[in-house]
Amino acid sequence: MSVFQCYRNRVRLSGRTVGDETTARTALLIHGLNTNMAFWHQWLVRSLSASHRLVMSDLRGHGYSDLSPDGYTCGELSDDAVAILDHNGATVVDVIAHSFGAGIALQLARRYPERVRSLTILDGRLRCVQPDLRLGEWNCFPRWAEHFARGGVHLDPNWELDCTLPMRLDGLDLTQVDSRLAADGFFVAVYSKRAMAKYRQLLMETTALADFRNPSDLTREQLREVKCPVGLVYGTISPFLATGECLADEFNTTLELVEGCGHNFPFNHPERTFEAMVKAGWPNATPSIKEPIR
């Protein structure tokens, strides 16, 4: 493992590489919001590094990367990704992206097609497909809400199911909730006070919240400019299945499902995630293609 720091427009981006530097293929791993490169479970990292050198980093505003006042659109963050690839001498990569990272990866593949060999999306949500999503609209909300209610926590069904949800739950006593959530397939996040303080600062003191919610950041028309093979893996109880189904149609590929899992299955179920990724085409960039409509 090698730790690195690089800069784009004086913004420090921190990351690490895993695997043999002489490996023929490199993979870029892009995490989602309110987490960092530690999201990638060690078991999954070991499995992926058997065939690839892995390049992972903290998105700007996350982990040990700088919190800049702006630059949080998928387009800007895809430029950060190019700077990271250049720093590590990676010309062409297979990209794996989770959650919000899917938009970054799609912009990277669209804007720099010569740099992306394949793309594997893990439970990404795109606002051009699901622009507004409230907790009460998610079909698993009653189960989720029941677990919280048993711990004395009321969830408002009108809350937006987006990057602001962790802040609403910050400071609540979830000791009576976590075990029930985990047993029912939902992810239980463990946040340090430092990480939550930085995330709050990110949403309150920068352009990040407006950038994250910008519906024109990635459009359906732009999706059609992506030409590399795309593999899709989603959880069966994810609130973002509509995005997966849309992408499956857009790219004429099969949507691989991880049964009984919610949004953050790559961390909770790395073995099952890897199996689904293989079915979706990893590492040979040949995803399962649906039969054409005749």
Side-chain angles (χ1 to χ4, degrees):
M1 182 182 74
S2 172
V3 176
F4 68 84
Q5 291 184 344
C6 65
Y7 290 81
R8 188 176 82 83
N9 296 339
R10 290 185 283 187
V11 175
R12 181 187 58 190
L13 304 169
S14 296
R16 62 186 173 118
T17 62
V18 176
D20 188 345
E21 297 290 330
T22 64
T23 301
R25 296 177 74 154
T26 297
L28 174 69
L29 278 59
I30 306 176
H31 66 77
L33 300 180
N34 194 30
T35 183
N36 53 55
M37 58 184 163
F39 172 81
W40 302 107
H41 194 283
Q42 291 183 357
W43 190 97
L44 187 59
V45 168
R46 285 195 301 270
S47 298
L48 295 172
S49 63
S51 59
H52 288 64
R53 176 180 67 132
L54 307 183
V55 177
M56 297 173 279
S57 69
D58 296 328
L59 296 178
R60 70 166 61 200
H62 294 73
Y64 290 100
S65 290
D66 282 349
L67 186 124
S68 61
D70 53 22
Y72 296 97
T73 64
C74 289
E76 286 281 352
L77 294 170
S78 72
D79 287 339
D80 285 354
V82 170
I84 289 165
L85 296 181
D86 289 345
H87 178 81
N88 287 283
T91 55
V92 183
V93 294
D94 297 302
V95 181
I96 303 168
H98 176 252
S99 193
F100 179 79
I104 303 169
L106 286 161
Q107 282 287 28
L108 179 65
R110 182 186 77 85
R111 299 172 71 228
Y112 302 94
E114 74 283 0
R115 305 298 295 266
V116 180
R117 181 186 292 110
S118 72
L119 172 56
T120 302
I121 292 176
L122 308 177
D123 221 82
R125 176 208 178 173
L126 302 181
R127 283 191 172 268
C128 62
V129 177
Q130 292 181 285
D132 297 301
L133 180 62
R134 306 203 177 276
L135 274 176
E137 297 169 355
W138 175 30
N139 61 2
C140 288
F141 174 69
R143 289 166 57 190
W144 221 58
E146 182 181 0
H147 291 312
F148 278 89
R150 289 179 180 176
V153 177
H154 171 71
L155 296 183
D156 188 334
N158 292 313
W159 285 350
E160 180 75 12
L161 210 172
D162 70 353
C163 58
T164 61
L165 187 58
M167 289 175 52
R168 296 184 183 277
L169 300 178
D170 183 33
L172 297 177
D173 181 7
L174 303 180
T175 55
Q176 301 301 313
V177 181
D178 289 348
S179 61
R180 294 189 178 98
L181 287 174
D184 209 13
F186 298 110
F187 177 71
V188 178
V190 179
Y191 303 121
S192 69
K193 290 184 178 180
R194 173 192 171 277
M196 183 52 69
K198 186 170 185 176
Y199 189 66
R200 183 175 293 276
Q201 186 180 3
L202 173 70
L203 296 188
M204 302 295 291
E205 300 179 17
T206 75
T207 64
L209 184 56
D211 289 345
F212 296 157
R213 288 178 165 177
N214 183 353
S216 63
D217 188 22
L218 180 66
T219 66
R220 291 212 185 196
E221 291 74 19
Q222 290 174 337
L223 285 178
R224 299 185 183 107
E225 298 174 24
V226 175
K227 302 304 181 184
C228 68
V230 178
L232 302 169
V233 181
Y234 279 68
T236 58
I237 58 174
S238 167
F240 307 133
L241 273 175
T243 294
E245 291 165 353
C246 173
L247 291 176
D249 288 338
E250 194 66 53
F251 296 113
N252 193 36
T253 190
T254 299
L255 180 63
E256 297 295 339
L257 298 175
V258 185
E259 188 65 36
C261 289
H263 179 55
N264 289 288
F265 57 83
F267 186 86
N268 268 9
H269 299 283
E271 298 96 334
R272 294 169 63 189
T273 300
F274 186 74
E275 290 174 2
M277 288 177 62
V278 170
K279 291 180 181 178
W282 178 270
N284 299 313
T286 53
S288 302
I289 304 299
K290 294 189 292 187
E291 289 296 322
I293 298 174
R294 301 184 186 278

